[in-house]
Amino acid sequence: MRRLPLPLLRHNKAVSYTMSAIIITAVTVALVIATSVYAYQVLERQRGAAEFEVAKKSILAFNDALENVAWKPKSSRSVRFTIEYGNLELMPDASILNVSATVGSNEYLLNSTSTGLARYSIKNSYVNFGEGHESYILGDASLIVTEGTESLGRALIGQELGWVNITLSYRTRAMRASVIEVNGTDVNYVNVSIVKVLIGQWSTHIHTFDLKARCLDVKTSALSVDAGVENCTIRVQSGGESDSTVIPLDPGKVVFNVIVAEVEVTL
């Protein structure tokens, strides 16, 4: 017995094959897009992390440049930065710096000034150390340097509010330079060195640029006091931070020489 053809059945099978092909194609395209997006995000994170490492080196190089010119009026040096995923902020008068000396029961204000800061920032989607993280790539938590060969620079990595920052600031050097007998009295000479960073206005910078440090002036002042004690205390306050160090003295007099290097930071 002959079977009659069933056109409707053949049509349904054709439609089913077509729909299957469309679904498979759509799923494949979706997977390709998802994979491409994920790969792009991974690549962007790698690029951002690589920029962060380069930014650390640029910050350290700029500190070397600034300290090199700090005590040489009118001299200047620059360092190139390349930034695409983060930004560099120049912040004028970002911190108030107070330096004082305590001799016996008396305290003397040696210097009070405002100083600027430079800060590189990048979102924690590229670099993530964990909220509240702090670590130093230059210097440490101390605000005072007591060795002549130690850098005054302090570069702090900190993470907060979705950003990872590298903040470059400067510490104070305090050390006894010499003791000289004058008319039968020992005179202690204590040098206090301060870097004052001058920034014209707050600004944010990206792409490729040269950051320049130029020493405008080096100012000195002196304070002489009687010192019938065996030591004095130098105290530094910067923002909400405070630090102190004890400097040995020979009983007699002490002369505090305060040396302030005014360094302009510009593009």
Side-chain angles (χ1 to χ4, degrees):
M1 184 181 199
R2 290 184 58 193
R3 292 176 177 253
L4 296 175
L6 300 175
L8 182 59
L9 182 59
R10 289 199 298 270
H11 176 71
N12 287 342
K13 288 183 178 180
V15 170
S16 177
Y17 293 149
T18 302
M19 290 299 297
S20 297
I22 292 173
I23 291 172
I24 292 172
T25 302
V27 170
T28 302
V29 170
L31 289 174
V32 170
I33 292 175
T35 302
S36 299
V37 169
Y38 177 75
Y40 176 77
Q41 291 175 342
V42 170
L43 182 60
E44 288 293 281
R45 284 197 294 269
Q46 291 175 342
R47 288 174 174 172
E51 178 183 289
F52 181 78
E53 294 301 316
V54 173
K56 288 196 297 185
K57 295 178 181 178
S58 297
I59 289 287
L60 295 177
F62 181 73
N63 172 73
D64 288 342
L66 190 148
E67 292 202 64
N68 182 266
V69 305
W71 316 106
K72 306 170 186 175
K74 310 309 177 185
S75 62
S76 65
R77 284 184 59 186
S78 63
V79 172
R80 174 149 293 194
F81 283 74
T82 299
I83 299 173
E84 298 296 338
Y85 295 88
N87 64 73
L88 183 77
E89 290 180 273
L90 298 180
M91 300 174 285
D93 303 322
S95 178
I96 301 298
L97 180 66
N98 293 311
V99 183
S100 62
T102 300
V103 183
S105 59
N106 298 314
E107 184 174 8
Y108 305 91
L109 180 63
L110 299 180
N111 188 267
S112 179
T113 188
S114 61
T115 185
L117 297 174
R119 181 173 66 189
Y120 169 82
S121 301
I122 191 170
K123 289 184 177 180
N124 65 359
S125 56
Y126 299 110
V127 180
N128 196 330
F129 296 103
E131 203 71 11
H133 169 87
E134 287 190 349
S135 61
Y136 291 89
I137 57 172
L138 177 65
D140 53 32
S142 172
L143 294 176
I144 304 176
V145 172
T146 57
E147 298 293 334
T149 57
E150 189 174 355
S151 170
L152 293 182
R154 186 171 73 154
L156 171 66
I157 297 177
Q159 181 168 327
E160 59 180 359
L161 302 176
W163 291 85
V164 176
N165 306 309
I166 307 175
T167 304
L168 179 63
S169 60
Y170 287 89
R171 302 177 290 175
T172 298
R173 175 176 286 117
M175 54 188 298
R176 186 171 71 166
S178 61
V179 180
I180 300 176
E181 184 177 335
V182 179
N183 297 326
T185 301
D186 287 336
V187 180
N188 302 267
Y189 290 90
V190 176
N191 291 341
V192 177
S193 303
I194 299 169
V195 173
K196 177 181 173 66
V197 177
L198 298 172
I199 297 172
Q201 61 182 10
W202 181 89
S203 57
T204 302
H205 306 279
I206 59 174
H207 304 313
T208 299
F209 56 87
D210 291 327
L211 190 63
K212 182 170 69 174
R214 179 171 180 262
C215 180
L216 300 183
D217 198 5
V218 177
K219 297 180 178 179
T220 61
S221 61
L223 174 67
S224 177
V225 300
D226 291 330
V229 292
E230 295 182 351
N231 58 64
C232 67
T233 300
I234 303 295
R235 180 170 286 101
V236 176
Q237 291 180 314
S238 178
E241 299 179 88
S242 180
D243 196 11
S244 62
T245 189
V246 174
I247 295 179
L249 300 174
D250 289 353
K253 289 183 176 293
V254 56
V255 176
F256 297 101
N257 293 314
V258 182
I259 309 158
V260 181
E262 296 184 344
V263 183
E264 179 185 50
V265 175
T266 59
L267 260 62

